[in-house]
Amino acid sequence: MSQRLSVNLKLHLRVISVVTMLALTWPFAATAQVTAFKQAVAEAAAQDTDIAAFYRANDFDPIWTGSSSDDKARRQALLDAVVTANAHGLPAGRYDATMLKSKMQEATDPRARGHVEVELSKVFLQFARDIQSGILTPSRIDSEIKRTVPLRNGTSYLAALTTSRPAAFFKTLPPQSPEYARLMKEKRVLEMRLAQGGWGPKVNADSLKPGQTGNAVVALRNRLILMGYLGRTAQAGFDGQMQAAVQSFQQDNGLSADGVAGAVTMAEINRDVEDRLASVIVAMERERWLNLPEGLGERHIKVNLTDFSAKIYDDDKLTFETRSVIGADQGDRRSPEFSDVMEFMVINPSWYVPRSIVTKEYLPKLKSNRNAVSHLIITDRNGRRINRGSVNFSAYNARNFPFSMRQPPSPTNALGLVKFMFPNKYNIYLHDTPSKSLFDRESRAFSHGCIRLQQPFEFAYALLAKQTSDPQGLFHSRLNGGKEQRVTLDEPVPVHLIYRTAITKAKGGLEFRRDVYGRDARIWGALRNAGVALRAVQG
């Protein structure tokens, strides 16, 4: 109770201070100067620091509820914008246009108009922040989503609105990326499919392959037709046409494209429209998190963890792509999500074994056999090599083990022959690996968190091509020396570790990936709790 009184007292004093300031800064007597409207604005705005600062600077004049053409334009632009909330996958209930109109109609005296004025500013700021930067705080959903969302200052939003054409200003708020625009379009396509009943009955079979017939094959045929992978046909057998359709589906879902509807493929085919629609809405929220003021970079690298890929883009065009291996789905091995800047590569790198691996994996082996993991050098805190025979490993545990471990450069080094560095506190980077067979797997979550590349040399050539006419020659001249060599990138490249289970295709359509770490399921749960809803719309 005392805390509540304290908060109310502070609020009351703040309002008195604002009103007193108004009286002191106007040239007439306070009773004549402090209008009911402006006093109401001061009172209501005092609850929000940004809004209060804006209205103080604006002399507590209206920007929404006045009779000027500018005020009318801003009102209409706000009402027009908030009714698009559903289209953007936002919680429409937060910005209830009907409620706003009702409040404006009921505000027949100056004080009521003052309170509605501030209410409109609050709704505007909520909508602007939500559509530009997302409605969730990523790290609260999953601790491994390290992404810091760029939040804009509320005062600057209001100031920018008053100096812009309102309708045009609202169009600048959502992410301007082609991906976001395509996601919006595909969201509507799925909503129309949902209104038409989805993709029909699920296929009641564990597996189907070419040559088979029966009710399950007919159900598969019908589902592929409604998904857009197969043209209209009365064919009741699993023929070559259906096999090609299954292969196309597999390619769009990151599966081995063998044309056989095995257990994994069948599970993806049987996913509901609602599941896919939720994935698209989550992808839109994630795109808002990536809506950086500086952009992604003219040249940038995207590592989509769910796609097990690393891609280089130049001016938004894909210029290089390779398969990747990501962190295993266990303990602290999951790869985090964040953005940073790649500054250099190390050719013939040493592997400085992370402390967690030293103590959790290698120390128990050394306790059993001091000659275990003999390919690693044990060093003291000064980097000097330690004679294993002089150490009683059984005397140490994970907390007090005083040594480090390092693997010198070699073709069998855990990092392979090159690593790509974007220094970060998570100790994550991209690198080569001697374990090439893992790249043939459909699902590739095996590492301790770093990103392994299938074609690291070619990746290096693509990066170096910006600074030398002979990238291969430069790379191999350093590689052939056998010694650890650092090569600085003349132009550092932004790196974005992202996680997308719904990805648009440039020419239309969607690709989907499995939710490797379950992060998108948690995000969808949080969005739903915040009021985001699936909807079916007519075409």
Side-chain angles (χ1 to χ4, degrees), residues 261-412:
V264 175
T265 296
M266 196 66 78
E268 295 304 305
I269 285 174
N270 279 332
R271 292 278 294 274
D272 293 327
V273 174
E274 290 91 339
D275 290 342
R276 299 309 196 186
L277 184 52
S279 293
V280 170
I281 292 173
V282 169
M284 292 174 72
E285 174 74 356
R286 286 181 167 281
E287 193 71 11
R288 289 189 284 266
W289 296 349
L290 257 187
N291 190 17
L292 309 174
E294 69 275 16
L296 299 181
E298 290 183 11
R299 159 168 274 206
H300 62 270
I301 297 164
K302 275 185 183 175
V303 177
N304 187 2
L305 301 177
T306 65
D307 187 39
F308 310 109
S309 67
K311 301 177 180 179
I312 299 176
Y313 290 85
D314 289 285
D315 297 319
D316 288 326
K317 292 182 179 179
L318 177 63
T319 54
F320 181 83
E321 177 178 4
T322 184
R323 290 186 171 195
S324 70
V325 168
I326 68 169
D329 183 23
Q330 54 185 263
D332 58 358
R333 295 177 63 175
R334 299 178 186 90
S335 298
E337 300 170 47
F338 65 99
S339 293
D340 216 301
V341 179
M342 185 178 290
E343 299 173 0
F344 61 93
M345 64 183 74
V346 178
I347 301 173
N348 294 315
S350 294
W351 180 41
Y352 296 87
V353 186
R355 177 77 182 177
S356 61
I357 299 177
V358 169
T359 57
K360 292 179 182 178
E361 297 186 28
Y362 294 155
L363 179 56
K365 293 180 180 180
L366 291 168
K367 287 182 178 183
S368 300
N369 175 11
R370 68 179 60 203
N371 293 315
V373 290
S374 58
H375 62 292
L376 300 176
I377 296 171
I378 300 175
T379 61
D380 63 15
R381 66 184 59 188
N382 295 314
R384 293 175 300 206
R385 187 167 188 160
I386 297 296
N387 182 351
R388 292 173 178 239
S390 65
V391 179
N392 177 13
F393 292 104
S394 297
Y396 298 106
N397 57 42
R399 290 188 302 277
N400 64 12
F401 188 62
F403 305 115
S404 299
M405 303 182 80
R406 172 173 58 86
Q407 184 181 15
S410 77
T412 59

Side-chain angles (χ1 to χ4, degrees), residues 474-516:
L474 171 60
F475 182 84
H476 286 279
S477 68
R478 306 298 177 86
L479 179 68
N480 295 339
K483 294 183 179 180
E484 188 166 320
Q485 297 264 358
R486 172 170 167 158
V487 178
T488 300
L489 298 179
D490 289 351
E491 296 182 17
V493 182
V495 180
H496 307 286
L497 271 64
I498 65 172
Y499 188 105
R500 298 290 173 85
T501 58
I503 311 145
T504 67
K505 296 192 283 187
K507 295 184 179 180
L510 283 162
E511 294 187 3
F512 293 99
R513 298 295 183 266
R514 282 164 286 177
D515 192 1
V516 186

Side-chain angles (χ1 to χ4, degrees), residues 25 66 68 72 109 133 150 153 187 202 229 236 260 271 283 289-290 313 369 404 436-437 445 462 465 471 523:
T25 55
S68 74
K72 292 177 182 176
D109 63 79
S133 303
N153 175 273
K187 174 177 176 289
K202 293 184 179 181
Y229 288 99
V260 175
R271 292 278 294 274
W289 296 349
L290 257 187
Y313 290 85
N369 175 11
S404 299
K436 304 295 186 183
S437 63
I523 292 172

Side-chain angles (χ1 to χ4, degrees), residues 38-59:
K38 294 194 175 188
Q39 183 172 347
V41 170
E43 291 170 355
Q47 300 173 28
D48 185 296
T49 303
D50 288 349
I51 294 177
F54 170 77
Y55 278 105
R56 279 198 302 271
N58 199 49
D59 199 22

